[in-house]
Amino acid sequence: MSNQTVGFVSLGCPKNLVDSERILTQLRVEGYNIVPSYNDADLVIVNTCGFIDSAVQESLDAIGEALNENGKVIVTGCLGAKEDEIREIHPHVLGITGPHAYEAVLDTVHKHLPVPKQHNPFLDLVPPQGVKLTPRHYAYLKISEGCNHRCSFCIIPSMRGDLVSRPVGQVLSEAERLVNAGVKELLVISQDTSAYGVDTKHRTDFWNGRPVKSDMYQLTEALGELGVWTRLHYVYPYPHVDNVIPLMAEGKVLPYLDMPLQHASPDILKKMKRPGQVERTLERIQRWRRDVPDLTLRSTFIVGFPGETEDDFQMLLDFINEAELDRVGCFKYSPVEGATANALPNPVDEAVKEERFARFMEAQQRISAAKLQRKVGTVQEVLIDEVDEEGAIGRTKGDAPEIDGVVYLNGESAVKPGDIVKVNIDNADEYDLWGSKL
């Protein structure tokens, strides 16, 4: 076995996945072999998540497993910002770096596993779109790092810093390379997509010789020219988000918005340090739906936040019943080390959290089931994700990978991943659809 083989474990969110892809791409460029197992690797990199306690534990367990199986481990990612915590449990890791510290990770690899001497970049070509951990037909496009918000339940700014937007020309060039390599869907991600370019005062950059401003609208408009599905994630409902709705109406980008609203009680939103104009949010949602009738809205909410009363929770239920959001994730509040919310009075009992979570999910399931039932008998464009002996599985324009529903095409084998096909929707349940290819 050569002394140029690296194993890789990637945990956490899509933003972490993009970090992993960048590190892997550079390692491949330098001539290292990447392997999927501990035994064949000369060292292992673990890209960690540190957002909530369960993710911290998963990351610590993964580090321990890599140490037991291989012995030589480099740690990076969000949990890497807490070096003391890692060293206390795993003192023998080779090196620890924080999130999006690509150069520091590579420096640590070089220190313990020198750059292969035999590598010829002209013979061992890395594909121009880089190394991807997602299927070939969709890719995450990270447009910024960090966040300027100081939500009381979140420690992302302390781990990833304030907002740093990537130059828009760089983002668009990366998108173009991905599309040229066969990607059919771009998933735009960041901590706060609607704040893109705020830190650079929306500086003008250049893409293919033409000027483009670093703002959400011009970025989205340019991505809409690439002829693939473009999906927007983590969008705060700022007023300027209204500007991208016409792009959806025109079919330039997918009629899909992922807005993490978190709650609907003004008191709880204030404690969370989140925007709290719930009535205005409802009005805008109604206006957006008038302009784009097939708009899919996804959001996430937290139940059991410190100080949440039954009245607060009822406001949340009233909101989701009125807003009729298409896709909703719900989390029971759990303290995150370093979050200011930990100091808030009146924590909610675990049994109450569980009961509210169940009531919330029951209400949302009714909404989701009714909305999906309305799709029965319609024709939807479906992007195929996988094909096996039972048939094909894909997604409509209203479904992001991993987090939303799917469309089952039972018995359909005359398609392949990456195909976009027209499907008649035959059946639905609370989350998923069944259909037949036309």
Side-chain angles (χ1 to χ4, degrees), residues 283-345:
E283 287 169 13
R284 295 173 71 218
I285 287 172
Q286 290 162 0
R287 191 166 66 247
W288 293 345
R289 283 185 170 143
R290 276 199 304 272
D291 295 342
V292 186
D294 60 344
L295 177 65
T296 296
L297 291 172
R298 148 167 273 282
S299 193
T300 50
F301 296 91
I302 298 171
V303 297
F305 192 79
E308 182 188 63
T309 64
E310 180 61 28
D311 284 347
D312 292 322
F313 179 68
Q314 191 59 51
M315 285 183 202
L316 177 55
L317 286 185
D318 291 344
F319 175 82
I320 64 166
N321 282 318
E322 188 168 352
E324 292 195 325
L325 302 174
D326 303 82
R327 301 295 191 189
V328 169
C330 183
F331 301 92
K332 289 169 282 188
Y333 174 78
S334 66
V336 177
E337 187 182 341
T340 58
N342 299 344
L344 291 171

Side-chain angles (χ1 to χ4, degrees), residues 250-396:
E250 294 163 19
K252 303 279 183 64
V253 296
L254 291 185
Y256 182 101
L257 270 182
D258 180 351
M259 297 186 303
L261 296 172
Q262 309 302 3
H263 214 281
S265 157
D267 284 348
I268 296 301
L269 288 167
K270 188 175 180 181
K271 289 173 182 173
M272 289 178 168
K273 298 189 176 171
R274 300 280 296 181
Q277 296 161 318
V278 175
E279 288 305 316
R280 193 169 297 176
T281 300
L282 279 170
E283 287 169 13
R284 295 173 71 218
I285 287 172
Q286 290 162 0
R287 191 166 66 247
W288 293 345
R289 283 185 170 143
R290 276 199 304 272
D291 295 342
V292 186
D294 60 344
L295 177 65
T296 296
L297 291 172
R298 148 167 273 282
S299 193
T300 50
F301 296 91
I302 298 171
V303 297
F305 192 79
E308 182 188 63
T309 64
E310 180 61 28
D311 284 347
D312 292 322
F313 179 68
Q314 191 59 51
M315 285 183 202
L316 177 55
L317 286 185
D318 291 344
F319 175 82
I320 64 166
N321 282 318
E322 188 168 352
E324 292 195 325
L325 302 174
D326 303 82
R327 301 295 191 189
V328 169
C330 183
F331 301 92
K332 289 169 282 188
Y333 174 78
S334 66
V336 177
E337 187 182 341
T340 58
N342 299 344
L344 291 171
N346 304 316
V348 177
D349 184 77
E350 288 301 320
V352 175
K353 285 184 196 175
E354 192 65 49
E355 184 261 345
R356 287 178 183 169
F357 174 81
R359 283 162 63 198
F360 180 99
M361 292 310 296
E362 185 183 345
Q364 181 55 36
Q365 281 172 358
R366 284 198 305 270
I367 294 165
S368 179
K371 297 203 87 159
L372 291 182
Q373 201 62 43
R374 288 175 215 156
K375 289 186 170 17
V376 173
T378 67
V379 174
Q380 301 286 329
E381 277 190 272
V382 172
L383 175 61
I384 302 298
D385 282 332
E386 54 184 289
V387 183
D388 58 24
E389 63 278 359
E390 294 181 15
I393 301 174
R395 291 175 290 110
T396 71

